[in-house]
C-alpha cells in the first residue's frame, strides 16, 4: 500500500508535468492485475473460477476537461493518444489506448455522463504475461470515468462494460473472469465466481505470513494465443451441441456432470471429448478448492492445483514446454504447496502457493532450474491478494 501511494503521487506529478497545472481537481484510481488460482478456461463455459486480485496494479491520475476531449499519456511506454468523446474510434498506433476508448464509448452508449479528461497511467502489472494488465486498464478507465464525470456506476455493470469493450472494441474474445476480479477482488481473499449467474463469494486465503502466492513468469508469449483460445471455445460449443442430443436441458458445459460425461463421452470426436473432460472436471476442482481452502486444507488445494495443470497440459492442451518446466521445477521446490499454469496458456505465468518461510529458497530453486533447462531468466513475483479497482485518497 505504501508503494501504491508513492507511485500514485508520482503519477499525479506526471499529470501536471505532461498536461500542465489546470488548477482543477485531480482524481487518482487504481486497478489490480490478477492471478487465477484455479478454474481455467471455465469462465466462457458458464463455469466456476477462483482468481485473486494481486498487489500489482495500474494507477491512473486524471483531471477533467471542458471540451469533451480525452488526452492520454501512458507513462511506462512514453506514448500519447487523444480523441474526442463525440467520435471514439480505434487507434491503430497507440493500441493500448483502445482499452480506454472502448470503455468510455460503452459508458457513453449506456447514457453515463462521461467527461473529457487529461489522464496519465502506469503500473507494475507485467504486460502480455497473463496477469490481465488489459482488464486492469479497462477497470481503471471505468472507475476514472465515474470519478471525473461524478457519476455512480455499479461495479458489476462496469465489469460487464470492461468485458464488452475487450470483446467488441478491442476484438479479444475473453470471458468475464479478469474484469470481475480486477473490479471486485478483496485483500487476503480469493473470489469464487459463478460465471453464469455472476454470484460470487469471497474465500479467505491462508494468512500471508504463512503462505505466499508466487507468480513465475516464463517470459514466453506465443503468437497463437488468440487463435488457439478461439479454437478451444468453439470445441467446447461443439461438445455442447452434440451432448444436447442426449441431454436436452444443458446450455453449456457447466451443466454437464462427470456422470453425464462418462455416459456420452464416446459420442464426441476424440479432441472435443478431451476438451469437455477438462472443463467438466475443472469445475469440480474449483468447488473442491473452495471447500479445501475454507477448511484450511492447503495440502488438498495443492493437489487440486496439480491436477488442474495436468488436465490443462494433457486434455485441454494449452500448456507449453516452458510452462511445464516451470511447474515441474516448482513441484520439486522447497516449501511448495501447489503449482500450475495460470491464465489462457501457451506461455505467460505459473501460480504457486508457497510456505512463507521457504519463499526465498523456492524462488532461487525455480529460477535456477528454469534458467538451466530453457536458457531464459524468469521473473518471479511474490504477491499478496489485494483489493479491486477503486479511487485512491492521497
Ligand atoms: C484469459 C481470458 C479469461 C479466461 C482465461 C482462461 O485470461 O481473458 O476470460 O478465459 O484466459 O481461464
Amino acid at each position: 500500500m505504501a508503494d501504491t501511494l508513492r507511485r500514485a503521487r508520482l503519477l499525479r506529478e506526471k499529470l501536471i508535468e505532461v498536461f500542465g497545472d489546470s488548477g482543477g481537481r485531480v482524481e487518482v484510481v487504481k486497478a489490480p492485475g490478477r492471478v487465477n488460482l484455479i478454474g481455467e478456461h471455465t469462465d466462457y463455459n458458464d463455469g466456476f473460477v477462483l482468481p485473486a486480485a494481486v498487489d500489482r496494479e495500474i494507477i491512473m491520475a486524471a483531471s477533467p476537461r471542458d471540451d469533451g476531449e480525452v488526452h492520454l499519456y501512458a507513462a511506462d511506454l512514453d506514448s500519447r493518444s487523444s480523441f474526442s468523446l463525440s467520435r471514439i474510434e480505434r487507434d491503430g498506433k497507440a493500441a493500448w489506448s483502445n482499452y480506454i476508448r472502448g470503455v468510455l464509448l460503452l459508458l457513453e452508449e449506456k447514457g453515463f455522463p462521461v467527461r473529457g479528461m487529461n489522464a496519465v497511467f502506469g503500473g507494475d502489472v507485467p504486460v502480455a504475461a497473463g496477469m490481465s494488465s488489459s482488464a486492469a486498464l479497462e477497470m481503471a478507465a471505468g472507475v476514472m470515468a465515474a470519478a471525473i464525470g461524478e457519476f455512480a456506476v455499479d461495479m458489476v455493470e462496469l465489469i460487464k462494460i470492461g468485458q464488452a469493450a475487450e470483446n467488441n472494441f478491442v476484438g479479444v474474445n475473453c470471458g468475464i473472469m479478469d474484469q470481475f476480479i480486477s473490479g471486485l477482488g478483496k485483500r487476503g481473499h480469493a473470489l469464487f465466481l459463478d460465471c453464469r449467474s455472476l454470484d460470487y463469494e469471497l474465500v479467505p486465503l491462508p494468512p500471508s505470513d504463512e503462505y505466499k502466492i508466487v507468480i513465475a513468469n516464463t517470459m514466453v508469449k506465443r503468437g497463437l494465443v488468440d487463435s488457439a483460445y478461439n479454437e478451444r471455445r468453439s470445441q467446447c460449443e461443439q461438445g455442447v451441441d452434440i451432448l444436447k442430443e442426449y441431454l436436452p436441458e444443458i446450455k453449456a458445459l457447466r451443466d454437464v456432470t462427470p456422470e453425464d460425461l462418462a455416459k456420452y463421452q464416446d459420442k464426441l470426436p476424440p479432441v472435443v471429448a478431451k476438451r469437455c473432460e477438462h472443463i467438466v472436471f475443472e469445475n469440480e476442482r474449483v468447488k473442491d478448492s473452495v471447500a479445501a481452502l475454507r477448511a484450511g486444507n492447503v495440502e488438498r488445494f495443492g493437489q487440486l492445483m496439480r491436477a488442474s495443470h495436468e488436465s490443462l497440459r494433457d486434455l485441454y492442451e494449452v500448456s507449453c514446454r516452458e510452462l511445464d518446466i516451470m511447474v515441474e521445477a516448482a513441484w520439486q521446490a522447497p516449501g511448495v504447496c501447489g503449482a500450475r499454469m495460470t491464465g489462457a496458456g501457451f506461455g505467460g505465468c505459473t501460480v504457486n502457493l508457497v510456505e512463507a518461510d521457504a519463499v526465498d529458497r523456492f524462488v532461487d530453486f525455480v529460477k535456477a532450474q528454469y534458467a538451466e533447462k530453457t536458457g531464459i531468466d524468469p521473473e518471479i513475483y511474490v504477491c499478496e491478494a489485494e483489493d479491486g479497482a477503486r479511487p485512491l485518497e492521497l
Side-chain angles (χ1 to χ4, degrees):
M1 195 61 197
D3 210 35
T4 299
L5 291 180
R6 189 184 54 80
R7 285 188 294 116
R9 291 194 185 105
L10 286 176
L11 278 165
R12 189 174 57 179
E13 282 163 24
K14 196 79 189 165
L15 178 74
I16 290 166
E17 189 188 313
V18 173
F19 295 109
D21 190 354
S22 63
R25 175 161 71 86
V26 175
E27 305 286 353
V28 185
V29 306
K30 73 141 209 183
R34 67 97 184 93
V35 66
N36 189 18
L37 299 177
I38 198 161
E40 217 64 82
H41 290 274
T42 43
D43 63 349
Y44 54 81
N45 287 297
D46 275 3
F48 302 104
V49 291
L50 187 68
V54 294
D55 51 351
R56 295 257 160 178
E57 58 213 1
I58 285 178
I59 296 174
M60 186 180 281
S63 52
R65 291 177 67 104
D66 292 327
D67 58 1
E69 290 191 5
V70 176
H71 292 245
L72 302 170
Y73 177 69
D76 302 328
L77 305 171
D78 188 24
S79 167
R80 288 178 187 247
S81 177
S82 303
F83 56 95
S84 165
L85 284 173
S86 59
R87 193 189 158 98
I88 304 185
E89 289 170 343
R90 243 186 298 270
D91 186 335
K93 285 200 210 99
W96 54 266
S97 75
N98 293 328
Y99 300 99
I100 302 174
R101 289 166 182 256
V103 168
L104 298 187
L105 177 65
L106 288 180
L107 280 167
E108 276 195 314
E109 284 177 1
K110 288 191 176 278
F112 289 101
V114 180
R115 254 185 101 172
M117 63 175 110
N118 295 326
V120 304
F121 73 91
D124 60 356
V125 189
V127 174
M131 286 178 69
S132 296
S133 57
S134 36
L137 188 51
E138 287 150 11
M139 298 316 295
V143 174
M144 182 55 89
I148 290 288
E150 296 177 283
F151 60 83
V153 50
D154 175 62
M155 188 52 94
V156 174
E157 180 161 16
L158 206 50
I159 285 163
K160 288 185 187 161
I161 287 173
Q163 186 202 9
E166 186 143 349
N167 290 170
N168 308 327
F169 192 83
V170 179
V172 175
N173 207 10
C174 62
I176 199 156
M177 167 171 70
D178 305 340
Q179 290 78 12
F180 208 97
I181 187 64
S182 184
L184 283 166
K186 185 99 191 121
R187 179 176 300 177
H189 291 76
L191 187 146
F192 173 41
L193 174 66
D194 177 336
C195 297
R196 170 176 281 165
S197 65
L198 301 187
D199 288 342
Y200 67 95
E201 280 170 34
L202 293 169
V203 180
L205 286 168
S208 67
D209 55 350
E210 289 176 28
Y211 296 96
K212 297 281 183 210
I213 298 168
V214 180
I215 301 174
N217 190 347
T218 61
M219 315 301 278
V220 174
K221 190 184 172 335
R222 291 267 145 78
L224 77 156
V225 178
D226 286 353
S227 56
Y229 187 87
N230 290 336
E231 186 191 52
R232 296 300 180 283
R233 284 189 80 135
S234 61
Q235 287 165 335
C236 291
E237 282 158 20
Q238 202 188 332
V240 173
D241 284 345
I242 298 171
L243 290 170
K244 258 190 185 152
E245 292 171 29
Y246 310 93
L247 302 161
E249 69 286 2
I250 66 167
K251 293 198 173 62
L253 287 179
R254 142 72 177 276
D255 303 311
V256 178
T257 64
E259 296 73 34
D260 289 339
L261 190 69
K263 247 195 219 157
Y264 302 112
Q265 200 159 3
D266 63 350
K267 312 283 182 207
L268 300 169
V271 172
V272 174
K274 286 205 280 186
R275 307 298 187 244
C276 293
E277 187 178 337
H278 167 73
I279 300 300
V280 168
F281 286 93
E282 185 78 350
N283 277 327
E284 296 301 309
R285 281 188 286 269
V286 177
K287 290 184 274 180
D288 290 350
S289 295
V290 172
L293 285 171
R294 287 203 187 284
N297 191 345
V298 173
E299 198 187 325
R300 171 79 184 129
F301 178 53
Q303 291 163 352
L304 292 162
M305 288 175 84
R306 183 180 182 123
S308 169
H309 183 82
E310 288 168 345
S311 175
L312 288 158
R313 183 191 63 199
D314 301 337
L315 298 176
Y316 217 61
E317 294 176 288
V318 291
S319 188
C320 63
R321 180 175 166 265
E322 293 84 357
L323 282 168
D324 290 341
I325 289 173
M326 190 79 94
V327 163
E328 275 152 31
W331 285 340
Q332 290 159 24
V336 70
C337 304
R340 56 182 285 276
M341 57 153 279
T342 183
F346 300 104
C349 295
T350 66
V351 58
N352 308 268
L353 191 68
V354 182
E355 287 166 14
D357 292 348
V359 156
D360 294 344
R361 280 178 290 139
F362 175 89
V363 170
D364 291 347
F365 182 90
V366 170
K367 262 194 174 167
Q369 290 273 315
Y370 185 74
E372 189 192 311
K373 296 203 168 107
T374 62
I376 305 169
D377 225 1
E379 284 179 7
I380 299 198
Y381 324 110
V382 178
C383 294
E384 299 201 4
E386 254 302 333
D387 287 330
R390 61 191 167 85
L392 293 172
E393 302 286 338
L394 297 192

